[in-house]
Amino acid sequence: MSDLSTLLAFLAAIFVLILLIARFKVHPVATLFIVVVALGLVLGMGGSATIELVKEGFGSTLASVGLLVIFGCVLGKMLELSGAAMKITETALRMFAEKRVPWAIALASTVLGIPLIADTAVVMLIPIVSALAYRTGISMMRLGPILYIGAYVMTSVVPPGPGPLASASLLEVSMGEAILYGLMVGVPGVLAATLYLSRIKTHVAPKPEFVEHLVSAGGSAGGGGSDAADDGTDAPRVGLFGSLVPILAPIVLIVFASLTAPVLPEGSWITGLVLFLGEPTLALFLACLLALPLFRGRWRDKETLNDLFESGLRIAAMPLALTGVGGALATIIRETGVAESVAGSIESTGLSPIIIPFLVAAAVCSITGSNILGVMTSAAIMQPLIPSLDLSPLVVYLACATGAQIMKHANSSGFWVTTTLSNMTVGQGIRSIGVASVISGVTGFAVLYAMIALGVV
């Protein structure tokens, strides 16, 4: 096929992908499979060769990322059920004065967003945030979206979130770099979005069911915020240090191995030990083991050692399937000449190549409502284009991760969870969550652009 025909087939495939998911509500895994097979057939790969490429791409991708996704999801479930997530949140709230409550929530959400999916963080912590809103008189249109946005940004840019994990694996970016540089673009995004949200003037009261106990107890708006976190919730019986260790330990191990391995003596036992402990799969498994003491005497129970692991596996099933089929898409693009055609077209427009993965991720996220799908799909599309566009895999990874934050609106489960539980209307949700997600993504991309200009990446 000619370059033009190849390019048109590729663009049609992306259009069909988005149309099936957004308009006809076809499951993303089925949609990706349909698009991948159809693209292979249209581009002349033949039936048997297309299926073989699909299986090859699916298998090789899961081989590299499968256990990572599983252990990451299990770790998140352990932190949720042990009370560690609640403990981190309450500690953050006690660290800040009443006027700084929004920043305390942003801090807690950012930390919890590393192992937890944003929707889960909101469902878990909205009673505490609602109590704070009642006690301090701060609008839920500020606090609810701030609770969501910190975890949402981290889920988009930092492993072990399933989207960043899959994206880094597809692009062959080391997990140490993905974590370190993901934080460098993610944290400014959270700060900018929180600054915007903290300036919102519209007052929205918390949902009555979250503050009934405070009303009956004689609580009043504007009361002390320091003990608000203790109202209406059972204080978790876990320590802060024990709660943070399973989150920070794998990050430290992976980043330390990534930074020090190149300067350690090659072949020495210390180098082997550092690389072994810093291998992402082992580091995440060790994090799961480090989370067991949070359950105290219950760590030996079947509910902890077996049932909890199965809960994590169920959460991991969807990201695993999406990641595998995304790997198949990348293989088809690489083997059919699509990469060269797309790269040539981008070069002819005069656009900076780095804008392309950002825009692709933003389009997929905005239209489908999924930041996880946005970062994974854009990574799968861009991976074969990297050599032709003369971009580093790390830069493409960060561009996909920042673009995939744009924008949350009424087609997103996270949008509805946060809007509903924060007692907001759809319009208020778009003004808060939607605008904040755009601000976080654009800010992160601006930081990335500055890092490129300064030669940091």
Side-chain angles (χ1 to χ4, degrees):
M1 297 179 68
S2 67
D3 286 347
L4 179 59
S5 299
T6 301
L7 178 61
L8 290 175
F10 171 73
L11 294 176
I14 301 304
F15 174 77
V16 171
L17 172 73
I18 294 173
L19 182 67
L20 289 176
I21 294 174
R23 175 67 178 84
F24 296 103
K25 311 302 179 186
V26 181
H27 194 280
V29 175
T31 301
L32 272 169
F33 181 77
I34 292 169
V35 168
V36 168
V37 173
L39 187 60
L41 294 175
V42 169
L43 295 177
M45 296 298 296
S48 298
T50 296
I51 296 301
E52 285 301 316
L53 282 176
V54 169
K55 291 192 292 185
E56 176 189 330
F58 187 92
S60 61
T61 302
L62 286 190
S64 62
V65 78
L67 286 174
L68 284 169
V69 173
I70 290 172
F71 293 148
C73 291
V74 171
L75 176 61
K77 199 68 179 175
M78 294 178 79
L79 295 173
E80 174 190 346
L81 297 181
S82 67
M86 200 73 73
K87 181 64 177 181
I88 292 169
T89 303
E90 293 185 357
T91 303
L93 293 172
R94 291 191 180 98
M95 289 169 57
F96 288 78
E98 181 178 305
K99 292 182 179 180
R100 304 298 181 190
V101 161
W103 293 100
I105 294 173
L107 173 62
S109 178
T110 300
V111 174
L112 294 175
I114 295 173
L116 292 180
I117 295 173
D119 301 31
T120 302
V122 172
V123 172
M124 282 178 55
L125 301 177
I126 200 69
I128 288 179
V129 170
S130 298
L132 282 165
Y134 178 81
R135 282 298 190 90
T136 62
I138 300 175
S139 172
M140 283 300 295
M141 194 172 168
R142 294 185 188 180
L143 300 188
I146 288 174
L147 172 62
Y148 178 73
I149 203 70
Y152 174 68
V153 173
M154 290 298 107
T155 302
S156 302
V157 301
V158 179
L165 258 180
S167 178
S169 176
L170 285 166
L171 297 169
E172 299 181 352
V173 175
S174 75
M175 289 300 157
E177 287 185 322
I179 292 171
L180 183 61
Y181 290 98
L183 288 170
M184 290 174 68
V185 300
V187 171
V190 175
L191 293 175
T194 302
L195 187 63
Y196 163 75
L197 290 168
S198 64
R199 297 292 190 271
I200 289 178
K201 303 297 184 184
T202 305
H203 183 74
V204 175
K207 289 178 75 69
E209 54 264 40
F210 291 135
V211 296
E212 286 173 347
H213 60 290
L214 298 177
V215 176
S216 61
S220 60
S226 61
D227 61 347
D230 296 327
D231 289 314
T233 59
D234 295 325
R237 297 189 302 171
V238 295
L240 177 63
F241 179 77
S243 300
L244 288 173
V245 164
I247 299 174
L248 299 180
I251 294 174
V252 171
L253 288 172
I254 294 169
V255 173
F256 182 75
S258 177
L259 295 178
T260 61
V263 299
L264 291 174
E266 187 174 350
S268 69
W269 70 269
I270 187 67
T271 303
L273 180 62
V274 167
L275 291 175
F276 177 67
L277 294 177
E279 205 287 321
T281 303
L282 181 66
L284 277 176
F285 182 70
L286 290 176
C288 294
L289 296 182
L290 291 170
L292 285 176
L294 295 171
F295 293 88
R296 299 180 181 258
R298 293 181 293 134
W299 77 266
R300 303 181 187 88
D301 297 346
K302 173 180 176 292
E303 288 77 9
T304 303
L305 295 178
N306 184 80
D307 297 355
L308 191 148
F309 201 90
E310 288 190 356
S311 298
L313 284 173
R314 284 192 289 271
I315 297 171
M318 171 73 161
L320 281 174
L322 277 173
T323 302
V325 185
L329 174 60
T331 302
I332 290 289
I333 292 173
R334 183 172 58 249
E335 297 295 329
T336 55
V338 169
E340 290 77 9
S341 299
V342 174
S345 300
I346 293 172
E347 189 175 351
S348 66
T349 64
L351 286 173
S352 173
I354 193 56
I355 294 176
I356 305 304
F358 176 80
L359 293 178
V360 171
V364 174
C365 177
S366 182
I367 295 171
T368 66
S370 171
N371 61 315
I372 294 175
L373 189 61
V375 68
M376 286 196 295
T377 303
S378 57
I381 292 170
M382 294 305 301
Q383 188 265 340
L385 307 180
I386 289 175
S388 303
L389 295 177
D390 194 27
L391 295 172
S392 77
L394 176 60
V395 166
V396 173
Y397 165 79
L398 295 172
C400 292
T402 52
Q405 297 169 39
I406 302 172
M407 95 175 239
K408 281 303 193 187
H409 57 93
N411 63 350
S412 162
S413 61
F415 176 89
W416 284 113
V417 166
T418 308
T419 299
T420 302
L421 296 182
S422 299
N423 207 23
M424 294 189 293
T425 65
V426 174
Q428 290 169 338
I430 291 174
R431 282 173 50 207
S432 56
I433 301 166
V435 175
S437 66
V438 173
I439 290 173
S440 67
V442 170
T443 300
F445 186 69
V447 171
L448 171 59
Y449 224 103
M451 290 164 61
I452 295 172
L454 295 172
V456 177
V457 292

